[in-house]
Amino acid sequence: MTGPALDVFLADCPARTALDLIADTWSVVVVVGLAHGPRRYSALLERAGGISKKMLTQTLRRLAGAGLVERPATRGGEYRLTDLGVSLLGPLTALTAWAEEHADELA
């Protein structure tokens, strides 16, 4: 048995909440940045050009709160994708490839 159909046009649609989380530029950058394995905070900060420490911290907290990223248990540990986060890589990889392919047209 499946649940009711979701309608992203409705303000209270759970799928819309999920889209709000993952459609954020920095969320995409961080998840893709963790695609090849765990990274320390400083490595993510260096890899994600243009992000501030405050924004990276907020983004990591949001992604961890949603169950997409696992925060390190100790200071200096590594952030990693959860199984749910890994499941997001396919769609995000397709989206980033499309964005790279069409960046000139959209500029």
Side-chain angles (χ1 to χ4, degrees):
M1 177 180 243
T2 61
L6 300 178
D7 185 350
V8 296
F9 290 99
L10 299 176
D12 62 347
C13 177
R16 190 162 160 180
T17 302
L19 286 171
D20 285 342
L21 172 72
I22 61 171
D24 172 77
T25 299
W26 293 122
S27 294
V28 172
V29 169
V30 169
V31 170
V32 172
L34 293 171
H36 296 293
R39 288 187 186 245
R40 294 171 68 115
Y41 179 91
S42 58
L44 281 169
L45 186 63
E46 184 178 315
R47 180 81 174 117
I51 193 170
S52 68
K53 289 180 180 181
K54 179 182 178 182
M55 184 55 67
L56 178 57
T57 298
Q58 288 176 349
T59 301
L60 286 166
R61 285 181 180 159
R62 284 181 58 225
L63 294 172
L68 296 169
V69 170
E70 182 181 309
R71 294 176 70 189
T74 60
R75 184 179 172 104
E78 295 180 322
Y79 289 86
R80 66 187 74 244
L81 293 176
T82 63
D83 290 342
L84 183 60
V86 170
S87 74
L88 184 57
L89 287 175
L92 287 186
T93 300
L95 178 63
T96 56
W98 182 90
E100 289 168 356
E101 181 179 337
H102 298 285
D104 291 339
E105 297 169 64
L106 296 171

